[in-house]
Amino acid sequence: DASGAASGGVAWDGGTRGWLCTLGAAVTAWRCDSGSDSGRGMCVSCLEKARCCLHAAIGRPTSFSVTASSSSGARRRVVLRVELTTSMSSMTAQLIAADLVAEVKQSMQETSATWVSGVDALDHARRHGQTLRYLHTCYVQAAQVLPPLEAERKEGIKWLMDRLGSMCDDGVKEVQELIGEPDVNMVSVPKYYYSELRHRQKCTLPQPPKLLTHSSLLDFLGVEAVAALRSAERFRRLSSAERQTEVSSTTWEQLASSAQKVAVQVITGALVSFGEERVKATLRACRREEQAVCEQLFNQNPGNAFEELDVDGEDSDEEGDGTVCSLEAAIFVVSDCTGESADRTVQSALGQFGHCFDRSCPANITVYRFVNTNMLREIVMQAQDRGAIIVYTLVDPMTNETMVNLCKEYDVVYHDLWTPLLRKLEGYFSSNASGMPGRRQYVDERYMALVECIEFTRQLDDGVLPKKWQEADLMILGPSRSGKTPLAFFMAQRGFKVANYPLVPDEPFPEELWDFPQERIFALTIEPKKLSSIRSTRMATLQMGTKSMYAKLGKVQEEIDWCRQLYRKNPRWTVLDTSDVGIEENCARMMMKLQQDGGISSRLNNTDNPSAI
């Protein structure tokens, strides 16, 4: 009934929209005077017109059928059952996804020219490959923790995760072909950018049997889409950079295209499952958080990550202060000896939670050493006040039992690092542990070898005594303040004699450098902006002023470029990046390299395993 429909309409709230759609125009298409009284004669073309009208007006696919028909004089009443589907077609989703991709790209701030000029092309490509490996594992995990969904929607999301994983594999292969490195070097690395963006959107993936919520799943998809578009934007910026020589513009464009395809695929899948309005809102929220993450990633001072930081009017009234984490992560490490083992174990474990503790919310660790039973109650009470977790290594059975009882009394979370291991070893050796704190350090051959390595490394620090370089197990090169000395002493503590030499542009090299086995030389590189910051801090500490060219970003950039050219001329050297890689990780890589290629092992009989550092 055209008049009735025009004056009334259909109100529909599918959970994703609350539109009130008047169907007058659609009803006009339904009327057909040539049909029979039963309504079965309504022509197919008019039904299709009506369906198209509804789809255009509501933005949802529709289906309907004739349920009744009656005539009264010149009027005919045709009653149709209209069903609005809860998901849009794949084709419609792809069209909308393309529009949303264009909208997000347009609203994104452009990555600054400073970042582009300072990036190491091959290293950036390598990190991209490592991140793709990390993302693949995330997609596998996400498919295992999906929230309760209708069977069709759940299968669609699972297919999407599988498809994204395949695209990650393809991307890793692209990177491997580009940089010419074996698969073993393309390890999975949870990069700060992705993990922090997820943390801001409160969509960190849970471990089974815990499941994602519907909102956190949508947030997860939003993060993937926005982050992929940022990757594409950076690749395109690199493709147009004049100074890039290691990677061709065509390759960067290819990587950019692949990243954008990921974004389109993700948004399409999200649209089919969650609808256009919710997806739009999520993408806008993720884009805002993405900008905040970029600002923090490139520089703690807002405004230096992008050329300009104008915020859209639609976003300026949004809530949120940009903080990463509101929690105080207090950890008490308690030991009846030095506490070094417990402290190192906790620090290593925290490395798995970089999205929480790596930047603006560092874990606050307090170490209590040489603790006895009388000290425990005060420690546990302080932990209760601060909401801290207690991690302890107490080998004395009575002290251990007292700690457990006190933690239960004060409702403090605790974890015993030693007891489970000691019980396993007691069964393995068929013997009881002594229960005595600490262990005596014997001045034996191993101890003296350790002292010799440390003393040798101290004497040959900073390019001193090149005549003795041949006695070294390895050589570390790099620009000033790139981390040579800390890495050298870390290796010395693991039983290696280390020499290091500072690289200064246009300064002649000692002949002893070329006489040293080239496969045992490790060359350090670092992001120019970070090195400039380190040098500025160093000069401020020494009260040397800030006018020296030593810390100026432009000068540092030239120095790093010169070093990279030198490294390319010496392909037998192993290049290590110290920008955001810990000393332990680089140490492990050096030990593996020495063992595999140089046949050089630690001078200590039972040194740490590189994989366990």
Side-chain angles (χ1 to χ4, degrees):
D1 186 341
S3 59
S7 61
V10 175
W12 170 59
D13 185 359
T16 57
R17 289 181 182 162
W19 290 357
L20 182 64
C21 301
T22 301
L23 305 181
V27 172
T28 301
W30 299 347
R31 302 183 63 188
C32 180
D33 295 332
S34 60
S36 64
D37 289 342
S38 65
R40 288 192 293 269
M42 180 174 282
C43 65
V44 175
S45 62
C46 286
L47 285 171
E48 181 59 24
K49 286 181 180 178
R51 189 190 69 78
C52 291
C53 287
L54 280 174
H55 191 174
I58 300 174
R60 288 289 193 184
T62 60
S63 63
F64 48 80
S65 57
V66 177
T67 60
S69 176
S70 61
S71 297
S72 177
R75 293 170 61 92
R76 171 185 297 154
R77 180 181 293 274
V78 179
V79 181
L80 299 105
R81 178 178 178 81
V82 181
E83 297 179 354
L84 307 179
T85 63
T86 59
S87 63
M88 65 178 66
S89 67
S90 177
M91 181 62 69
T92 302
Q94 289 179 23
L95 294 174
I96 297 176
D99 292 338
L100 292 178
V101 164
E103 177 184 323
V104 174
K105 287 172 61 178
Q106 186 176 10
S107 64
M108 271 186 168
Q109 300 294 329
E110 190 176 63
T111 301
S112 72
T114 302
W115 178 85
V116 175
S117 63
V119 74
D120 184 322
L122 288 179
D123 187 60
H124 185 68
R126 183 185 297 107
R127 293 181 188 180
H128 176 60
Q130 293 172 340
T131 304
L132 290 176
R133 275 286 169 83
Y134 162 66
L135 293 177
H136 191 176
T137 62
C138 290
Y139 298 143
V140 172
Q141 182 181 350
Q144 298 172 350
V145 294
L146 295 178
L149 297 167
E150 297 87 346
E152 184 177 354
R153 291 175 66 193
K154 193 165 190 175
E155 287 303 313
I157 295 293
K158 284 186 174 180
W159 178 89
L160 174 62
M161 297 301 169
D162 184 66
R163 174 61 181 151
L164 293 175
S166 299
M167 296 175 80
C168 286
D169 288 340
D170 294 340
V172 170
K173 291 177 182 177
E174 282 184 293
V175 174
Q176 288 173 340
E177 293 175 359
L178 169 63
I179 64 179
E181 290 187 357
D183 181 74
V184 69
N185 289 342
M186 205 61 63
V187 295
S188 170
V189 177
K191 301 309 293 181
Y192 161 78
Y193 178 79
Y194 270 86
S195 55
E196 182 58 36
L197 185 51
R198 288 192 191 139
H199 180 68
R200 282 175 176 268
Q201 288 300 105
K202 299 180 177 62
C203 58
T204 303
L205 291 174
Q207 293 290 339
K210 294 183 179 180
L211 302 177
L212 287 166
T213 64
H214 290 80
S215 296
S216 60
L217 173 59
L218 180 55
D219 287 338
F220 176 82
L221 296 176
V223 167
E224 301 310 302
V226 172
L229 290 176
R230 173 59 71 191
S231 295
E233 186 266 342
R234 289 180 187 153
F235 290 142
R236 292 197 171 94
R237 290 280 284 156
L238 289 169
S239 71
S240 60
E242 296 180 358
R243 60 177 293 273
Q244 297 297 340
T245 57
E246 301 95 334
V247 181
S248 67
S249 298
T250 302
T251 301
W252 287 131
E253 285 293 342
Q254 184 177 350
L255 292 176
S257 176
S258 298
Q260 182 159 325
K261 287 179 181 177
V262 169
V264 172
Q265 189 77 65
V266 170
I267 295 175
T268 300
L271 286 167
V272 170
S273 294
F274 295 98
E276 186 177 348
E277 288 303 306
R278 290 187 68 187
V279 172
K280 274 186 176 181
T282 299
L283 289 176
R284 287 169 180 165
C286 286
R287 197 268 299 167
R288 288 192 301 272
E289 297 294 358
E290 189 271 343
Q291 178 176 319
V293 170
C294 281
E295 292 174 14
Q296 187 179 12
L297 178 63
F298 289 119
N299 196 312
Q300 294 297 334
N301 297 320
N304 291 337
F306 303 108
E307 296 293 353
E308 53 185 76
L309 291 173
D310 296 330
V311 181
D312 297 344
E314 63 179 8
D315 298 331
S316 58
D317 294 330
E318 291 295 331
E319 297 180 355
D321 57 4
T323 56
V324 176
C325 179
S326 61
L327 301 176
E328 178 189 359
I331 302 176
F332 285 8
V333 176
V334 181
S335 173
D336 48 16
C337 195
T338 65
E340 293 299 321
S341 298
D343 188 26
R344 285 184 59 188
T345 301
V346 171
Q347 294 283 3
S348 298
L350 290 178
Q352 298 298 314
F353 301 90
H355 60 282
C356 293
F357 307 118
D358 191 38
R359 300 281 172 166
S360 297
C361 183
N364 190 345
I365 300 177
T366 305
V367 182
Y368 295 88
R369 310 176 194 275
F370 302 105
V371 170
N372 57 45
T373 304
N374 296 330
M375 302 165 61
L376 293 182
R377 183 176 295 274
E378 180 64 25
I379 294 173
V380 174
M381 290 173 63
Q382 291 182 23
Q384 183 191 48
D385 291 340
R386 295 182 56 185
I389 179 176
I390 294 179
V391 180
Y392 61 91
T393 53
L394 302 172
V395 296
D396 177 66
M398 292 187 62
T399 307
N400 195 307
E401 183 179 358
T402 302
M403 172 64 85
V404 172
N405 292 335
L406 286 172
C407 287
K408 290 180 178 179
E409 178 183 345
Y410 288 93
D411 195 24
V412 172
V413 180
Y414 64 94
H415 181 73
D416 183 353
L417 283 177
W418 273 151
T419 302
L421 175 60
L422 292 175
R423 288 176 179 171
K424 289 286 185 180
L425 292 177
E426 284 178 339
Y428 181 74
F429 291 116
S430 299
S431 178
N432 293 327
S434 67
M436 298 293 293
R439 66 178 181 85
R440 185 176 178 182
Q441 175 66 65
Y442 294 100
V443 183
D444 54 10
E445 292 182 3
R446 182 180 185 277
Y447 181 82
M448 295 307 298
L450 174 62
V451 172
E452 182 181 359
C453 289
I454 294 175
E455 181 63 16
F456 180 93
T457 301
R458 184 192 66 80
Q459 292 180 352
L460 273 68
D461 186 33
D462 208 28
V464 178
L465 300 177
K467 297 295 183 182
K468 296 187 66 175
W469 286 357
Q470 287 295 332
E471 301 177 28
D473 297 315
L474 65 139
M475 169 75 69
I476 301 177
L477 308 176
S480 173
R481 313 308 298 176
S482 60
K484 300 183 300 298
T485 298
L487 189 55
F489 277 94
F490 205 90
M491 290 293 289
Q493 292 175 350
R494 275 141 188 81
F496 294 90
K497 292 184 176 181
V498 187
N500 76 79
Y501 180 77
L503 295 177
V504 180
D506 302 324
E507 183 177 290
F509 299 105
E511 289 297 329
E512 290 81 0
L513 177 64
W514 311 115
D515 295 335
F516 192 84
Q518 301 296 287
E519 67 277 0
R520 287 194 266 143
I521 293 179
F522 295 86
L524 306 186
T525 186
I526 186 173
E527 293 178 356
K529 194 169 186 179
K530 184 165 188 175
L531 181 57
S532 175
S533 176
I534 293 173
R535 289 182 175 181
S536 296
T537 301
R538 174 66 171 171
M539 294 183 69
T541 302
L542 299 177
Q543 298 182 347
M544 297 176 62
T546 58
K547 294 184 179 181
S548 172
M549 295 298 293
Y550 174 70
K552 297 298 183 182
L553 181 58
K555 184 66 175 179
V556 171
Q557 178 67 68
E558 293 178 4
E559 191 173 336
I560 294 298
D561 288 344
W562 178 85
C563 289
R564 289 169 178 168
Q565 291 177 6
L566 175 66
Y567 299 164
R568 285 193 290 270
K569 294 176 182 177
N570 295 274
R572 295 171 64 187
W573 297 356
T574 300
V575 179
L576 299 175
D577 191 335
T578 60
S579 301
D580 57 1
V581 179
I583 293 178
E584 295 89 345
E585 183 175 341
N586 275 328
C587 175
R589 292 183 181 276
M590 294 169 71
M591 294 172 70
M592 293 175 65
K593 176 70 174 178
L594 290 171
Q595 184 64 37
Q596 293 171 359
D597 298 343
I600 303 298
S601 58
S602 171
R603 295 171 183 266
L604 310 181
N605 294 328
N606 54 341
T607 187
D608 294 327
N609 187 323
S611 63
I613 292 176

